[in-house]
Amino acid sequence: MNYQEIENTSLNKNVYLLRGDAFLCLEAKKSFQKKLGIESINVNVFNDENFDVVNIINACNQFSFFNEKRIVVVQDIQKELSQNAKQKFEDYCKNPNKDCILLFIDTLINKVFDFLKNVEIVECKPSEIFIVNFIKDKFLKHDIKISEENCKVLNSYCLGNLNRLNLEIKKICDYLMTGEVTKEDIDLLVYKDTELKVFDLTNALGQKDGNKSLNILNEMLKTGEAPIKILGLITGSFRRMMFAKINKGSNLDLAKVLNVKEYAIVKAKESASKFSALQLKSILNLLLETDYNIKSGVFSQENALYFLVCKIVYE
């Protein structure tokens, strides 16, 4: 089921797994609460700080106050669950309390809840059309316009994260007050995530654009990013590109395997299209060689990065 279907669907299940964007998972939880007319007093939330499988199941079996049903939420658990905890959840899911809706929420793509079988899955993934409309609507509420092209630029700078988009939109609105958002406004006000800069760098390398590649690298170094960290990010990006190149499964499945957001896989496939599998393998070997050269003192960290970029572009 998609999160948009909640309000128009008869919710005849008692256990659901919401997975995807954090903002949309929260909206989906609100939709459950609104659809069922459940007051906040009948909503229990468990996370890493108060996680206890026995307390969670006891909460599911409590009587509700003033409502026919209650909601119990288990969200963003980062630690690995014990076999005993998994078994207790599985046993409960086979015979859940009919007066309770149990919501497992996974916005971290950490697969902690993948063992669950008797659950209805609710996908909370925003489409590009949804994000463009989301951005436009947010700006229109402040009497500010933005083109579809600049919506996509803003979204790419925020790596598809709706919570961050909310914050950046507010910042831009406070700055402009009125009028229309330009690309220059976005470049001025929105910090381009380091991960996105690495995507830009790998794209420039794929285009054999030496000047652009070196300019991006210079910019990253000037902002104070440690060279060894930049090397790690570049290595991670090229590894994702290699997986994206050879993997035939869906973006979501690969994102789960690599423990990254689906948007990162979309960008990886975009970058990987500029390289052959053989080129990617050669670059990964070169990255290992660069790491060795740094650690063995053959090159300084910065010089090793410049040498790496030049070798990829000009060979």
Side-chain angles (χ1 to χ4, degrees):
M1 178 169 65
N2 187 282
Y3 69 96
Q4 293 173 308
E5 300 170 353
I6 294 171
E7 292 188 14
N8 300 316
T9 303
S10 57
L11 302 174
N12 52 12
K13 303 283 187 181
N14 290 92
V15 186
Y16 296 84
L17 171 58
L18 283 56
R19 62 187 186 190
D21 181 84
F23 179 86
L24 290 184
C25 283
L26 179 60
E27 291 300 300
K29 181 180 88 66
K30 291 178 182 176
S31 294
F32 271 97
Q33 198 171 336
K34 179 181 176 183
K35 169 85 173 178
L36 298 168
I38 297 177
E39 302 291 335
S40 297
I41 195 173
N42 286 315
V43 178
N44 288 94
V45 178
F46 294 87
N47 51 38
D48 258 350
E49 292 184 6
N50 64 347
F51 178 86
D52 184 286
V53 64
V54 174
N55 288 342
I56 292 168
I57 292 174
N58 286 342
C60 291
N61 289 320
Q62 284 179 8
F63 290 107
S64 63
F65 295 94
F66 313 118
N67 291 115
E68 291 183 9
K69 291 184 181 289
R70 61 186 287 101
I71 288 179
V72 174
V73 181
V74 184
Q75 62 184 31
D76 292 338
I77 304 300
Q78 299 188 45
K79 55 187 156 192
E80 182 64 32
L81 301 188
S82 69
Q83 200 56 47
N84 179 55
K86 290 181 180 180
Q87 189 61 56
K88 286 184 183 299
F89 278 135
E90 284 184 336
D91 290 343
Y92 175 82
C93 291
K94 288 175 186 175
N95 186 31
N97 178 10
K98 303 303 179 187
D99 295 326
C100 177
I101 302 294
L102 174 57
L103 302 179
F104 292 97
I105 299 180
D106 181 8
T107 64
L108 303 174
I109 320 179
N110 56 13
K111 302 186 286 186
V112 167
F113 302 127
D114 273 13
F115 68 93
L116 295 168
K117 296 181 177 64
N118 298 290
V119 300
E120 176 85 12
I121 295 174
V122 181
E123 297 290 358
C124 300
K125 298 183 297 179
S127 65
E128 186 173 68
I129 293 173
F130 173 91
I131 290 177
V132 167
N133 290 332
F134 174 86
I135 295 171
K136 283 184 175 181
D137 289 345
K138 289 287 183 182
F139 278 117
L140 279 175
K141 287 178 181 176
H142 293 83
D143 295 321
I144 294 175
K145 296 179 181 178
I146 184 171
S147 68
E148 182 171 331
E149 181 181 354
N150 283 331
C151 284
K152 292 177 180 178
V153 170
L154 179 56
N155 180 48
S156 70
Y157 281 24
C158 296
L159 296 176
N161 185 307
L162 291 178
N163 277 329
R164 187 176 166 202
L165 274 169
N166 255 332
L167 295 173
E168 299 296 352
I169 289 169
K170 185 179 185 306
K171 186 198 301 179
I172 295 171
C173 288
D174 289 344
Y175 176 79
L176 289 181
M177 304 295 287
T178 187
E180 182 168 355
V181 182
T182 65
K183 169 76 161 47
E184 289 72 26
D185 295 326
I186 297 172
D187 287 337
L188 174 67
L189 298 169
V190 181
Y191 175 76
K192 188 181 281 192
D193 193 282
T194 302
E195 190 174 345
L196 186 60
K197 290 179 184 176
V198 173
F199 286 134
D200 289 344
L201 177 57
T202 55
N203 280 331
L205 292 172
Q207 294 164 354
K208 299 290 184 179
D209 189 333
N211 287 336
K212 187 174 181 180
S213 299
L214 290 171
N215 284 337
I216 294 171
L217 179 57
N218 282 333
E219 182 187 340
M220 293 174 76
L221 289 169
K222 282 180 182 177
T223 58
E225 291 287 358
I228 198 70
K229 179 185 176 183
I230 294 174
L231 178 62
L233 290 169
I234 294 172
T235 302
S237 181
F238 273 102
R239 279 183 183 147
R240 281 197 297 274
M241 287 160 62
M242 174 60 90
F243 278 111
K245 193 78 175 177
I246 63 178
N247 181 69
K248 303 302 179 186
S250 69
N251 291 345
L252 180 60
D253 288 341
L254 185 54
K256 285 183 178 180
V257 170
L258 299 181
N259 198 28
V260 296
K261 291 183 179 180
E262 188 176 0
Y263 188 81
I265 301 302
V266 173
K267 298 296 288 184
K269 285 188 174 180
E270 178 186 307
S271 299
S273 66
K274 299 176 176 65
F275 298 90
S276 68
L278 190 60
Q279 285 175 314
L280 289 172
K281 183 179 178 182
S282 176
I283 290 171
L284 285 171
N285 287 334
L286 181 59
L287 285 160
L288 287 174
E289 180 184 329
T290 303
D291 183 62
Y292 173 79
N293 286 338
I294 289 175
K295 290 175 179 174
S296 60
V298 175
F299 290 115
S300 69
Q301 292 185 15
E302 287 195 11
N303 285 342
L305 286 177
Y306 286 119
F307 182 76
L308 170 71
V309 167
C310 290
K311 193 143 186 173
I312 294 173
V313 171
Y314 298 113
E315 284 193 2

